[in-house]
Amino acid sequence: MKKKKILALMMAVSMAGSLAACGGGDSSKGTSKGGASEGSTEDGMVELTYMHKLNGTEKYVGDDDINNNVWTRCYQDDLGIKLNYTIAAAGDDYTQKLTMAIASNELPDLMDLPPEEFSELANAGMLADITDSYEKDASDLLKQTIEVDGGIQLASAKVDGKLYGLPQLSAADGTCDLLWIRTDWLENLGLKAPTTMDELIEVAKAFRYNDPDGNGQDDTWGIGFQKAIVSEDGASPGSYEGFFAAYGAYAKAWVKGDDGKITYSGINNGIKDALTQLNQMYEDGLIDPEFGVKDTVKLGEDISAGKVGMFYGLEGMPWGACKSNIENNPEAEWQCYPIVSATDEPAKPITYVRISRYYAANAKCEHPEALVKIANVFQDKINSLDSTEETLNTFGVDPETGINFAEYAAFGMDPAIQKCNTYYKEIKDTLEGNSKIEDIHPEAARYYNVIKTYIDGGMDKASNSLGWNYYKFIGPEGSWNTIINDYKANDKLVQSAFFGAPTPTMSTNLVSMDKLQSETFVNIIMGTQKPETFDDFVKQWKEMGGDTITDEVNEWYEKTLADVAE
């Protein structure tokens, strides 16, 4: 099926080109150049073309641009490789250019590929086998970074045992929900942080009706949610997964059972119980009636404005809406807590592996090993313990201009799990006098200096919101270390078992199935459907292809991960 899709795209573009030629059209116009076109310069430099997905926020110094910057010059000086970014775009623009490059069979030498396109090209024989290059050319640090999870994500880049790319790593542990609460509101109302679902509901009622901010107005909600109820891509703030986990279920996860079989948790009866409770909270006025049309940005604005004092969200909230809130109101204070359970069993948050892209080489590329060698450079400059502050300023974030040079590096992979845990320990030891700042990683030292200044300044949020940000993220009260490491230590994390490219039936049916699921869930919460209609949804989900998808997911798991996941 995947080979047929690739061939269909190629034929469509070929026909379009023929028609254009017959009509006298000019097919040479475009904003980017495609096609593998490697060669050598007079001085022996290897030239390679590269298709790179931008963030859209890149900034440059002086006359630098995407083809001439600190990273491209480094590749030339250190590796003898001149990298030409023939396609460099962000968002939908990148997707369109990628589709045309695939369809016209004009792929560059090296490329960033979304999971589905990577799988299609690898199975169609259009990507280079880099198995030997990875074993021979990958540095120890690159291997440590990529294989930090035991090789699970790397295994997803293999077809029939051969490696066709490098995954852009996902820090799965960082995708679990935490419960974020305005502690100043708790103090104002004489309440404690909830440890059960019943206590959470009581806090939500107090936040809604007892004027927690003391302004004498009816302008606060009990708990914040947003419209993306069926999502595995980090809909935060206002996630539902932490709430569903209280009932032993998850909206979008594929969970491996004790029998070894993987099933879709979105049809678990625990979801029905959770939706029933959410409907009661909605009827009680604890949830904003406009939640069904608000995205995370709009909910973030409510949090920033002081209208919401409790929600489920990820560990990075001190960087976002919570930080904006304390900047607007320095009297506000936020703290994260473990999610609560609605049963006698402990609540276990779900985590997702979210591989956004794979780095790959064209099967026609004469130097596919360049992919691995270039990937080594990012590790050496950014993630090595031998990196200096000068190196980080040069290749990472410039402290004077705020420009993040790493945004336009090729094949940048960050060991987020290792970094957070290592930096937290180094910062903690240095704050406690058990280590010296010159002995810790330069990037950790950056965090330490800001946190130490914040502490020494009396923890004044009004004058140092960045210090509060770092303190709450990776300092003594850091979200990652106070909660997530506790989740891990007590075996409370559940990882969704499936993270591959969409299965054949997913590719054709999943959009409609997700739409049905989302509408059913929202309607039950708002009371336009009875909770009993959840059973009808489950039946319809299966009829729309759910059983077939379940078989495909289990087949993928056995073929891809069975050995490395044990």
PDB file of all heavy atoms in Angstrom, residues 467-494:
ATOM      1  N   GLY A 467      13.792  33.795  36.983  1.00  0.00           N
ATOM      2  CA  GLY A 467      14.306  33.026  38.106  1.00  0.00           C
ATOM      3  C   GLY A 467      13.242  32.100  38.674  1.00  0.00           C
ATOM      4  O   GLY A 467      13.511  30.948  39.006  1.00  0.00           O
ATOM      5  N   TRP A 468      12.010  32.610  38.801  1.00  0.00           N
ATOM      6  CA  TRP A 468      10.887  31.779  39.258  1.00  0.00           C
ATOM      7  C   TRP A 468      10.659  30.636  38.283  1.00  0.00           C
ATOM      8  O   TRP A 468      10.452  29.485  38.685  1.00  0.00           O
ATOM      9  CB  TRP A 468       9.630  32.635  39.367  1.00  0.00           C
ATOM     10  CG  TRP A 468       8.410  31.871  39.784  1.00  0.00           C
ATOM     11  CD1 TRP A 468       7.985  31.651  41.067  1.00  0.00           C
ATOM     12  CD2 TRP A 468       7.448  31.223  38.927  1.00  0.00           C
ATOM     13  NE1 TRP A 468       6.821  30.903  41.062  1.00  0.00           N
ATOM     14  CE2 TRP A 468       6.475  30.632  39.764  1.00  0.00           C
ATOM     15  CE3 TRP A 468       7.319  31.096  37.552  1.00  0.00           C
ATOM     16  CZ2 TRP A 468       5.389  29.913  39.256  1.00  0.00           C
ATOM     17  CZ3 TRP A 468       6.249  30.375  37.041  1.00  0.00           C
ATOM     18  CH2 TRP A 468       5.296  29.796  37.895  1.00  0.00           C
ATOM     19  N   ASN A 469      10.713  30.948  36.982  1.00  0.00           N
ATOM     20  CA  ASN A 469      10.542  29.969  35.919  1.00  0.00           C
ATOM     21  C   ASN A 469      11.521  28.805  36.095  1.00  0.00           C
ATOM     22  O   ASN A 469      11.130  27.632  36.150  1.00  0.00           O
ATOM     23  CB  ASN A 469      10.744  30.697  34.595  1.00  0.00           C
ATOM     24  CG  ASN A 469      10.746  29.803  33.370  1.00  0.00           C
ATOM     25  OD1 ASN A 469      10.902  30.297  32.263  1.00  0.00           O
ATOM     26  ND2 ASN A 469      10.601  28.517  33.514  1.00  0.00           N
ATOM     27  N   TYR A 470      12.809  29.114  36.186  1.00  0.00           N
ATOM     28  CA  TYR A 470      13.825  28.074  36.317  1.00  0.00           C
ATOM     29  C   TYR A 470      13.694  27.324  37.643  1.00  0.00           C
ATOM     30  O   TYR A 470      13.880  26.110  37.709  1.00  0.00           O
ATOM     31  CB  TYR A 470      15.223  28.692  36.220  1.00  0.00           C
ATOM     32  CG  TYR A 470      15.635  29.107  34.827  1.00  0.00           C
ATOM     33  CD1 TYR A 470      14.746  29.073  33.757  1.00  0.00           C
ATOM     34  CD2 TYR A 470      16.927  29.559  34.575  1.00  0.00           C
ATOM     35  CE1 TYR A 470      15.127  29.459  32.481  1.00  0.00           C
ATOM     36  CE2 TYR A 470      17.333  29.953  33.307  1.00  0.00           C
ATOM     37  CZ  TYR A 470      16.424  29.897  32.264  1.00  0.00           C
ATOM     38  OH  TYR A 470      16.816  30.286  31.009  1.00  0.00           O
ATOM     39  N   TYR A 471      13.392  28.060  38.710  1.00  0.00           N
ATOM     40  CA  TYR A 471      13.248  27.457  40.040  1.00  0.00           C
ATOM     41  C   TYR A 471      12.135  26.417  40.043  1.00  0.00           C
ATOM     42  O   TYR A 471      12.259  25.343  40.639  1.00  0.00           O
ATOM     43  CB  TYR A 471      12.949  28.559  41.054  1.00  0.00           C
ATOM     44  CG  TYR A 471      12.867  28.102  42.493  1.00  0.00           C
ATOM     45  CD1 TYR A 471      14.011  27.985  43.275  1.00  0.00           C
ATOM     46  CD2 TYR A 471      11.636  27.801  43.081  1.00  0.00           C
ATOM     47  CE1 TYR A 471      13.940  27.582  44.596  1.00  0.00           C
ATOM     48  CE2 TYR A 471      11.554  27.394  44.399  1.00  0.00           C
ATOM     49  CZ  TYR A 471      12.706  27.280  45.155  1.00  0.00           C
ATOM     50  OH  TYR A 471      12.623  26.871  46.472  1.00  0.00           O
ATOM     51  N   LYS A 472      11.025  26.727  39.367  1.00  0.00           N
ATOM     52  CA  LYS A 472       9.876  25.829  39.348  1.00  0.00           C
ATOM     53  C   LYS A 472      10.027  24.702  38.330  1.00  0.00           C
ATOM     54  O   LYS A 472       9.306  23.704  38.390  1.00  0.00           O
ATOM     55  CB  LYS A 472       8.595  26.609  39.033  1.00  0.00           C
ATOM     56  CG  LYS A 472       8.127  27.499  40.172  1.00  0.00           C
ATOM     57  CD  LYS A 472       7.597  26.674  41.331  1.00  0.00           C
ATOM     58  CE  LYS A 472       7.069  27.545  42.444  1.00  0.00           C
ATOM     59  NZ  LYS A 472       6.483  26.759  43.554  1.00  0.00           N
ATOM     60  N   PHE A 473      10.970  24.868  37.398  1.00  0.00           N
ATOM     61  CA  PHE A 473      11.162  23.841  36.386  1.00  0.00           C
ATOM     62  C   PHE A 473      12.245  22.840  36.776  1.00  0.00           C
ATOM     63  O   PHE A 473      12.031  21.631  36.728  1.00  0.00           O
ATOM     64  CB  PHE A 473      11.505  24.478  35.032  1.00  0.00           C
ATOM     65  CG  PHE A 473      11.833  23.475  33.963  1.00  0.00           C
ATOM     66  CD1 PHE A 473      10.863  22.611  33.477  1.00  0.00           C
ATOM     67  CD2 PHE A 473      13.122  23.382  33.442  1.00  0.00           C
ATOM     68  CE1 PHE A 473      11.171  21.669  32.498  1.00  0.00           C
ATOM     69  CE2 PHE A 473      13.424  22.454  32.458  1.00  0.00           C
ATOM     70  CZ  PHE A 473      12.450  21.597  31.988  1.00  0.00           C
ATOM     71  N   ILE A 474      13.413  23.350  37.157  1.00  0.00           N
ATOM     72  CA  ILE A 474      14.526  22.442  37.403  1.00  0.00           C
ATOM     73  C   ILE A 474      15.259  22.748  38.707  1.00  0.00           C
ATOM     74  O   ILE A 474      16.318  22.207  38.983  1.00  0.00           O
ATOM     75  CB  ILE A 474      15.501  22.489  36.205  1.00  0.00           C
ATOM     76  CG1 ILE A 474      16.326  21.218  36.114  1.00  0.00           C
ATOM     77  CG2 ILE A 474      16.369  23.748  36.252  1.00  0.00           C
ATOM     78  CD1 ILE A 474      17.072  21.073  34.814  1.00  0.00           C
ATOM     79  N   GLY A 475      14.662  23.622  39.534  1.00  0.00           N
ATOM     80  CA  GLY A 475      15.243  23.960  40.828  1.00  0.00           C
ATOM     81  C   GLY A 475      14.698  23.088  41.944  1.00  0.00           C
ATOM     82  O   GLY A 475      14.128  22.016  41.705  1.00  0.00           O
ATOM     83  N   PRO A 476      14.832  23.534  43.184  1.00  0.00           N
ATOM     84  CA  PRO A 476      14.392  22.732  44.339  1.00  0.00           C
ATOM     85  C   PRO A 476      12.917  22.342  44.295  1.00  0.00           C
ATOM     86  O   PRO A 476      12.540  21.307  44.852  1.00  0.00           O
ATOM     87  CB  PRO A 476      14.687  23.665  45.522  1.00  0.00           C
ATOM     88  CG  PRO A 476      15.816  24.503  45.058  1.00  0.00           C
ATOM     89  CD  PRO A 476      15.561  24.748  43.599  1.00  0.00           C
ATOM     90  N   GLU A 477      12.071  23.154  43.669  1.00  0.00           N
ATOM     91  CA  GLU A 477      10.657  22.805  43.543  1.00  0.00           C
ATOM     92  C   GLU A 477      10.295  22.500  42.093  1.00  0.00           C
ATOM     93  O   GLU A 477       9.181  22.710  41.645  1.00  0.00           O
ATOM     94  CB  GLU A 477       9.782  23.946  44.085  1.00  0.00           C
ATOM     95  CG  GLU A 477       9.961  24.205  45.568  1.00  0.00           C
ATOM     96  CD  GLU A 477       9.072  25.321  46.081  1.00  0.00           C
ATOM     97  OE1 GLU A 477       8.125  25.698  45.366  1.00  0.00           O
ATOM     98  OE2 GLU A 477       9.318  25.813  47.192  1.00  0.00           O
ATOM     99  N   GLY A 478      11.285  21.974  41.364  1.00  0.00           N
ATOM    100  CA  GLY A 478      11.101  21.743  39.937  1.00  0.00           C
ATOM    101  C   GLY A 478      10.056  20.689  39.623  1.00  0.00           C
ATOM    102  O   GLY A 478       9.962  19.657  40.283  1.00  0.00           O
ATOM    103  N   SER A 479       9.278  20.962  38.575  1.00  0.00           N
ATOM    104  CA  SER A 479       8.191  20.064  38.185  1.00  0.00           C
ATOM    105  C   SER A 479       8.719  18.703  37.762  1.00  0.00           C
ATOM    106  O   SER A 479       8.114  17.669  38.079  1.00  0.00           O
ATOM    107  CB  SER A 479       7.403  20.698  37.032  1.00  0.00           C
ATOM    108  OG  SER A 479       8.263  21.129  35.992  1.00  0.00           O
ATOM    109  N   TRP A 480       9.817  18.692  37.032  1.00  0.00           N
ATOM    110  CA  TRP A 480      10.341  17.425  36.548  1.00  0.00           C
ATOM    111  C   TRP A 480      10.780  16.535  37.706  1.00  0.00           C
ATOM    112  O   TRP A 480      10.472  15.351  37.764  1.00  0.00           O
ATOM    113  CB  TRP A 480      11.537  17.680  35.618  1.00  0.00           C
ATOM    114  CG  TRP A 480      12.030  16.429  34.949  1.00  0.00           C
ATOM    115  CD1 TRP A 480      12.777  15.429  35.502  1.00  0.00           C
ATOM    116  CD2 TRP A 480      11.768  16.027  33.610  1.00  0.00           C
ATOM    117  NE1 TRP A 480      13.014  14.449  34.597  1.00  0.00           N
ATOM    118  CE2 TRP A 480      12.405  14.786  33.415  1.00  0.00           C
ATOM    119  CE3 TRP A 480      11.069  16.594  32.559  1.00  0.00           C
ATOM    120  CZ2 TRP A 480      12.362  14.112  32.196  1.00  0.00           C
ATOM    121  CZ3 TRP A 480      11.034  15.927  31.352  1.00  0.00           C
ATOM    122  CH2 TRP A 480      11.673  14.700  31.179  1.00  0.00           C
ATOM    123  N   ASN A 481      11.474  17.123  38.636  1.00  0.00           N
ATOM    124  CA  ASN A 481      12.162  16.321  39.637  1.00  0.00           C
ATOM    125  C   ASN A 481      11.320  16.016  40.867  1.00  0.00           C
ATOM    126  O   ASN A 481      11.477  14.967  41.484  1.00  0.00           O
ATOM    127  CB  ASN A 481      13.453  17.040  40.038  1.00  0.00           C
ATOM    128  CG  ASN A 481      14.277  17.386  38.820  1.00  0.00           C
ATOM    129  OD1 ASN A 481      14.864  16.520  38.205  1.00  0.00           O
ATOM    130  ND2 ASN A 481      14.272  18.652  38.437  1.00  0.00           N
ATOM    131  N   THR A 482      10.408  16.913  41.231  1.00  0.00           N
ATOM    132  CA  THR A 482       9.604  16.647  42.425  1.00  0.00           C
ATOM    133  C   THR A 482       8.485  15.654  42.148  1.00  0.00           C
ATOM    134  O   THR A 482       8.053  14.940  43.049  1.00  0.00           O
ATOM    135  CB  THR A 482       8.991  17.946  42.968  1.00  0.00           C
ATOM    136  OG1 THR A 482       8.224  18.574  41.933  1.00  0.00           O
ATOM    137  CG2 THR A 482      10.066  18.909  43.437  1.00  0.00           C
ATOM    138  N   ILE A 483       7.993  15.603  40.912  1.00  0.00           N
ATOM    139  CA  ILE A 483       6.863  14.741  40.599  1.00  0.00           C
ATOM    140  C   ILE A 483       7.234  13.619  39.641  1.00  0.00           C
ATOM    141  O   ILE A 483       7.001  12.433  39.935  1.00  0.00           O
ATOM    142  CB  ILE A 483       5.693  15.550  39.989  1.00  0.00           C
ATOM    143  CG1 ILE A 483       5.320  16.725  40.900  1.00  0.00           C
ATOM    144  CG2 ILE A 483       4.493  14.633  39.763  1.00  0.00           C
ATOM    145  CD1 ILE A 483       4.847  16.314  42.272  1.00  0.00           C
ATOM    146  N   ILE A 484       7.815  13.940  38.499  1.00  0.00           N
ATOM    147  CA  ILE A 484       8.054  12.921  37.475  1.00  0.00           C
ATOM    148  C   ILE A 484       9.018  11.854  37.963  1.00  0.00           C
ATOM    149  O   ILE A 484       8.806  10.656  37.740  1.00  0.00           O
ATOM    150  CB  ILE A 484       8.565  13.573  36.176  1.00  0.00           C
ATOM    151  CG1 ILE A 484       7.469  14.470  35.593  1.00  0.00           C
ATOM    152  CG2 ILE A 484       8.970  12.507  35.160  1.00  0.00           C
ATOM    153  CD1 ILE A 484       7.849  15.199  34.332  1.00  0.00           C
ATOM    154  N   ASN A 485      10.080  12.249  38.654  1.00  0.00           N
ATOM    155  CA  ASN A 485      11.000  11.236  39.171  1.00  0.00           C
ATOM    156  C   ASN A 485      10.335  10.367  40.236  1.00  0.00           C
ATOM    157  O   ASN A 485      10.659   9.183  40.379  1.00  0.00           O
ATOM    158  CB  ASN A 485      12.257  11.903  39.742  1.00  0.00           C
ATOM    159  CG  ASN A 485      13.220  12.292  38.640  1.00  0.00           C
ATOM    160  OD1 ASN A 485      13.107  11.837  37.511  1.00  0.00           O
ATOM    161  ND2 ASN A 485      14.179  13.146  38.960  1.00  0.00           N
ATOM    162  N   ASP A 486       9.385  10.941  40.971  1.00  0.00           N
ATOM    163  CA  ASP A 486       8.622  10.143  41.937  1.00  0.00           C
ATOM    164  C   ASP A 486       7.715   9.158  41.216  1.00  0.00           C
ATOM    165  O   ASP A 486       7.581   8.005  41.622  1.00  0.00           O
ATOM    166  CB  ASP A 486       7.786  11.061  42.831  1.00  0.00           C
ATOM    167  CG  ASP A 486       6.955  10.270  43.840  1.00  0.00           C
ATOM    168  OD1 ASP A 486       7.544   9.675  44.756  1.00  0.00           O
ATOM    169  OD2 ASP A 486       5.711  10.249  43.698  1.00  0.00           O
ATOM    170  N   TYR A 487       7.082   9.615  40.121  1.00  0.00           N
ATOM    171  CA  TYR A 487       6.291   8.697  39.297  1.00  0.00           C
ATOM    172  C   TYR A 487       7.139   7.498  38.870  1.00  0.00           C
ATOM    173  O   TYR A 487       6.726   6.341  38.963  1.00  0.00           O
ATOM    174  CB  TYR A 487       5.805   9.406  38.028  1.00  0.00           C
ATOM    175  CG  TYR A 487       4.639  10.347  38.176  1.00  0.00           C
ATOM    176  CD1 TYR A 487       4.424  11.343  37.225  1.00  0.00           C
ATOM    177  CD2 TYR A 487       3.731  10.257  39.221  1.00  0.00           C
ATOM    178  CE1 TYR A 487       3.347  12.217  37.312  1.00  0.00           C
ATOM    179  CE2 TYR A 487       2.654  11.127  39.314  1.00  0.00           C
ATOM    180  CZ  TYR A 487       2.470  12.104  38.364  1.00  0.00           C
ATOM    181  OH  TYR A 487       1.403  12.960  38.446  1.00  0.00           O
ATOM    182  N   LYS A 488       8.350   7.793  38.379  1.00  0.00           N
ATOM    183  CA  LYS A 488       9.218   6.728  37.869  1.00  0.00           C
ATOM    184  C   LYS A 488       9.676   5.795  38.981  1.00  0.00           C
ATOM    185  O   LYS A 488       9.655   4.575  38.825  1.00  0.00           O
ATOM    186  CB  LYS A 488      10.435   7.347  37.177  1.00  0.00           C
ATOM    187  CG  LYS A 488      10.107   8.091  35.890  1.00  0.00           C
ATOM    188  CD  LYS A 488      11.341   8.720  35.289  1.00  0.00           C
ATOM    189  CE  LYS A 488      12.334   7.668  34.810  1.00  0.00           C
ATOM    190  NZ  LYS A 488      13.490   8.296  34.124  1.00  0.00           N
ATOM    191  N   ALA A 489      10.074   6.384  40.097  1.00  0.00           N
ATOM    192  CA  ALA A 489      10.598   5.578  41.198  1.00  0.00           C
ATOM    193  C   ALA A 489       9.551   4.618  41.759  1.00  0.00           C
ATOM    194  O   ALA A 489       9.886   3.536  42.253  1.00  0.00           O
ATOM    195  CB  ALA A 489      11.122   6.486  42.313  1.00  0.00           C
ATOM    196  N   ASN A 490       8.286   4.999  41.661  1.00  0.00           N
ATOM    197  CA  ASN A 490       7.212   4.179  42.211  1.00  0.00           C
ATOM    198  C   ASN A 490       6.395   3.450  41.134  1.00  0.00           C
ATOM    199  O   ASN A 490       5.284   3.006  41.380  1.00  0.00           O
ATOM    200  CB  ASN A 490       6.288   5.049  43.066  1.00  0.00           C
ATOM    201  CG  ASN A 490       6.959   5.528  44.338  1.00  0.00           C
ATOM    202  OD1 ASN A 490       7.145   4.773  45.285  1.00  0.00           O
ATOM    203  ND2 ASN A 490       7.357   6.797  44.350  1.00  0.00           N
ATOM    204  N   ASP A 491       6.985   3.345  39.937  1.00  0.00           N
ATOM    205  CA  ASP A 491       6.383   2.578  38.850  1.00  0.00           C
ATOM    206  C   ASP A 491       4.963   3.050  38.547  1.00  0.00           C
ATOM    207  O   ASP A 491       4.039   2.243  38.393  1.00  0.00           O
ATOM    208  CB  ASP A 491       6.387   1.081  39.194  1.00  0.00           C
ATOM    209  CG  ASP A 491       6.079   0.215  37.980  1.00  0.00           C
ATOM    210  OD1 ASP A 491       6.385   0.649  36.854  1.00  0.00           O
ATOM    211  OD2 ASP A 491       5.526  -0.890  38.162  1.00  0.00           O
ATOM    212  N   LYS A 492       4.792   4.362  38.451  1.00  0.00           N
ATOM    213  CA  LYS A 492       3.458   4.916  38.214  1.00  0.00           C
ATOM    214  C   LYS A 492       3.251   5.435  36.791  1.00  0.00           C
ATOM    215  O   LYS A 492       2.197   5.983  36.484  1.00  0.00           O
ATOM    216  CB  LYS A 492       3.188   6.054  39.205  1.00  0.00           C
ATOM    217  CG  LYS A 492       2.990   5.589  40.642  1.00  0.00           C
ATOM    218  CD  LYS A 492       2.652   6.770  41.540  1.00  0.00           C
ATOM    219  CE  LYS A 492       2.414   6.317  42.977  1.00  0.00           C
ATOM    220  NZ  LYS A 492       2.095   7.463  43.865  1.00  0.00           N
ATOM    221  N   LEU A 493       4.250   5.256  35.927  1.00  0.00           N
ATOM    222  CA  LEU A 493       4.104   5.723  34.555  1.00  0.00           C
ATOM    223  C   LEU A 493       3.717   4.573  33.638  1.00  0.00           C
ATOM    224  O   LEU A 493       4.274   3.485  33.717  1.00  0.00           O
ATOM    225  CB  LEU A 493       5.401   6.355  34.053  1.00  0.00           C
ATOM    226  CG  LEU A 493       5.827   7.663  34.705  1.00  0.00           C
ATOM    227  CD1 LEU A 493       7.154   8.137  34.118  1.00  0.00           C
ATOM    228  CD2 LEU A 493       4.766   8.737  34.535  1.00  0.00           C
ATOM    229  N   VAL A 494       2.757   4.830  32.755  1.00  0.00           N
ATOM    230  CA  VAL A 494       2.358   3.866  31.738  1.00  0.00           C
ATOM    231  C   VAL A 494       2.686   4.476  30.380  1.00  0.00           C
ATOM    232  O   VAL A 494       2.292   5.605  30.105  1.00  0.00           O
ATOM    233  CB  VAL A 494       0.848   3.555  31.811  1.00  0.00           C
ATOM    234  CG1 VAL A 494       0.443   2.597  30.695  1.00  0.00           C
ATOM    235  CG2 VAL A 494       0.485   2.973  33.177  1.00  0.00           C
TER     236      VAL A 494
END
